[in-house]
Amino acid sequence: MSNSIRLGVIGGGQLGSLLCVAAKKLNIETVILSDDKDGPAQKFCDHFIYSKYENNEKIREFISKVDIVTYEFENIPIDFLNLIEKEKKVLPNPKINKIAQNRKLEKTFVNELGINTTDWTYIKTAEDIKKNQHLLPGLLKSNTLGYDGKGQFVLNSLDDVKQDWCFTSDYILEKKVNLKKEISVIITRYSDGTMLYYEPIENIHKNQILHKSKIPADISEKIFKDAIDSAKKIAANLSYIGVLTVEYFITANGKLLVNELAPRFHNSGHLTIEAFNISQFENHVRAICNLNSMQIKKISNAEMRNVLGFEIQKYKKRNLKKNEFFYDYQKKEPRDGRKMGHLTVLKD
Ligand code: ADP
Ligand code: MG
């Protein structure tokens, strides 16, 4: 195993932090580039560079300090990733990023593979919504830059389309699904084509933010198999390298739909740190740094709870039981709805 790889990570939040911890275990040096001066990953990485995404001295420094670049979130300007790619390898490939940060391109890509999503259409004007009333009740989602339910509006009927709305950006309109359940599949693909996946994880959202994740997911064998097969198909088709997360809806009548793709490790995969021999973060580092792959072995069932906002104060004082593992992301300020930490509980 090479121990001389310097891994650049764009983004300094909790996902970046947890990636740095996994890299350290593999003797890989990490350099974080964060546009947030207070990014908590500075406490976990070897070098921390604070800079906006522009071609400047700090970016030159980042590029010169690393061998490979990855990222903790997908909403990074593509031009910026392309700029880096001219000099250093960026994995997962920015082409994938372009798809995953644009709901229209993402759903088109998934549908063209013969995989179902919700019914949807592309929206530029209020008139487009009128023409697509069959999708109401629905969710109008900003085509780019949404996360944790941000940039989404529920449209029960045309009355909800406000007169004063100006459509300055583009949207998609998605039919509202009667959800039975949500699951995610986290799959790792190595450059030799090896694919390793965790069993589907069941996700419970509150106010469109992930609240809890657990394994085993309470799903049929058929849904289990179909979810893994679709994730494999997507990863193979993209010649993907690294960890990919596929979020799914299971409808009240039992249909499996892809909700969205995240070209990265995922909040729902935090339980992999304790519940499996190799975490999603370690798998990502291994795959992008071209290290050996290792079979995934499950250690335990588990449940992960997100700690949001001011809840963190209570959790910091908690006496942990022997099956409980707590992560304080060490963010400077709690804010309502902000992900501040998580607790994983191992179960029989
Ligand atoms: P984000 O990019 O913010 O994660 P998602 O599209 O995944 O956006 O939406 C966040 C959550 O909102 C989903 O996990 C789901 O709980 C709910 N949601 C989104 N779209 C729909 C839909 N079409 N029908 C029902 N619930 C939805
Ligand atoms: Mg989502």
Side-chain angles (χ1 to χ4, degrees):
M1 193 191 287
S2 164
N3 61 0
S4 59
I5 301 171
R6 299 167 305 164
L7 176 61
V9 184
I10 304 173
Q14 65 270 17
L15 292 170
S17 302
L18 294 167
L19 191 74
C20 289
V21 173
K24 183 104 285 189
K25 193 175 139 185
L26 299 169
N27 219 3
I28 285 171
E29 212 178 298
T30 49
V31 185
I32 291 269
L33 175 71
S34 171
D35 67 349
D36 172 9
K37 184 165 53 48
D38 298 325
Q42 60 193 278
K43 299 190 174 130
F44 301 90
C45 63
D46 294 301
H47 306 280
F48 184 81
I49 298 174
Y50 161 58
S51 172
K52 299 292 172 199
Y53 305 134
E54 288 152 18
N55 190 1
N56 62 27
E57 223 172 278
K58 291 280 179 193
I59 302 301
R60 305 313 316 162
E61 183 193 344
F62 174 69
I63 294 173
S64 72
K65 276 197 154 86
V66 301
D67 301 306
I68 301 177
V69 173
T70 191
Y71 40 86
E72 65 151 13
F73 68 115
E74 51 276 29
N75 290 326
I76 303 164
I78 286 291
D79 289 349
F80 181 69
L81 290 178
N82 289 339
L83 175 100
I84 295 179
E85 225 205 355
K86 283 198 190 120
E87 291 172 65
K88 298 288 160 76
K89 199 172 210 172
V90 179
L91 290 172
N93 188 307
K95 282 193 201 97
I96 291 144
N97 210 280
K98 195 170 172 181
I99 297 175
Q101 61 177 238
N102 184 308
R103 295 186 194 274
K104 180 188 175 206
L105 295 182
E106 181 176 81
K107 286 187 199 291
T108 304
F109 166 74
V110 170
N111 292 152
E112 280 176 356
L113 289 179
I115 299 171
N116 292 324
T117 57
T118 52
D119 290 334
W120 67 279
T121 193
Y122 182 59
I123 299 285
K124 281 290 271 183
T125 62
E127 198 54 36
D128 292 341
I129 301 178
K130 275 190 202 144
K131 282 189 216 143
N132 287 283
Q133 288 184 50
H134 64 285
L135 295 174
L136 301 180
L139 277 101
L140 188 68
K141 300 184 179 179
S142 63
N143 192 33
T144 57
L145 297 173
Y147 70 98
D148 286 347
K150 292 189 172 62
Q152 299 194 13
F153 310 89
V154 179
L155 298 183
N156 287 312
S157 72
L158 281 181
D159 297 342
D160 292 337
V161 183
K162 305 278 179 297
Q163 291 303 324
D164 58 350
W165 275 2
C166 44
F167 287 74
T168 47
S169 63
D170 50 347
Y171 294 84
I172 64 154
L173 176 63
E174 241 184 82
K175 195 158 181 71
K176 188 157 197 260
V177 172
N178 194 356
L179 285 178
K180 178 150 90 189
K181 231 176 246 310
E182 295 187 65
I183 58 170
S184 51
V185 170
I186 298 177
I187 188 161
T188 315
R189 190 174 175 279
Y190 284 74
S191 58
D192 67 359
T194 304
M195 286 196 262
L196 303 173
Y197 54 85
Y198 300 99
E199 66 188 74
I201 300 165
E202 182 169 336
N203 300 319
I204 297 139
H205 290 80
K206 263 193 195 169
N207 306 321
Q208 285 160 307
I209 301 175
L210 184 68
H211 170 55
K212 269 185 192 180
S213 292
K214 67 176 181 111
I215 49 166
D218 183 15
I219 52 174
S220 68
E221 268 174 45
K222 172 146 184 13
I223 291 276
F224 187 115
K225 184 175 175 303
D226 289 351
I228 301 289
D229 286 351
S230 296
K232 281 186 181 166
K233 195 170 182 180
I234 291 167
N237 216 276
L238 292 166
S239 302
Y240 197 91
I241 300 176
V243 164
L244 169 77
T245 304
V246 185
E247 294 180 16
Y248 296 91
F249 292 153
I250 302 170
T251 69
N253 44 23
K255 263 181 90 179
L256 182 69
L257 308 174
V258 165
N259 171 30
E260 60 175 352
L261 311 178
R264 54 172 170 81
F265 25 90
H266 193 259
N267 191 173
S268 64
H270 289 350
L271 53 74
T272 62
I273 299 173
E274 284 83 20
F276 294 87
N277 62 329
I278 301 205
S279 73
Q280 59 170 351
F281 301 102
E282 182 173 341
N283 257 320
H284 187 71
V285 175
R286 284 178 179 276
I288 61 173
C289 295
N290 212 10
L291 308 182
N292 294 330
S293 60
M294 276 169 69
Q295 273 314 310
I296 292 179
K297 290 195 199 107
K298 184 171 173 179
I299 294 165
S300 174
N301 288 327
E303 185 176 292
M304 187 266 340
R305 259 175 260 164
N306 269 337
V307 177
L308 300 185
F310 292 90
E311 277 180 344
I312 190 74
Q313 291 158 352
K314 180 183 79 188
Y315 273 87
K316 275 189 183 177
K317 292 187 205 125
R318 187 183 174 107
N319 286 319
L320 297 176
K321 301 195 185 105
K322 69 173 198 255
N323 60 335
E324 292 183 340
F325 300 88
F326 175 57
Y327 292 78
D328 175 358
Y329 300 154
Q330 306 197 35
K331 292 188 182 172
K332 255 193 162 169
E333 287 171 65
R335 260 185 266 125
D336 282 343
R338 187 175 200 201
K339 289 173 182 168
M340 297 299 294
H342 75 264
L343 179 81
T344 297
V345 185
L346 296 183
K347 308 234 161 151
D348 294 332

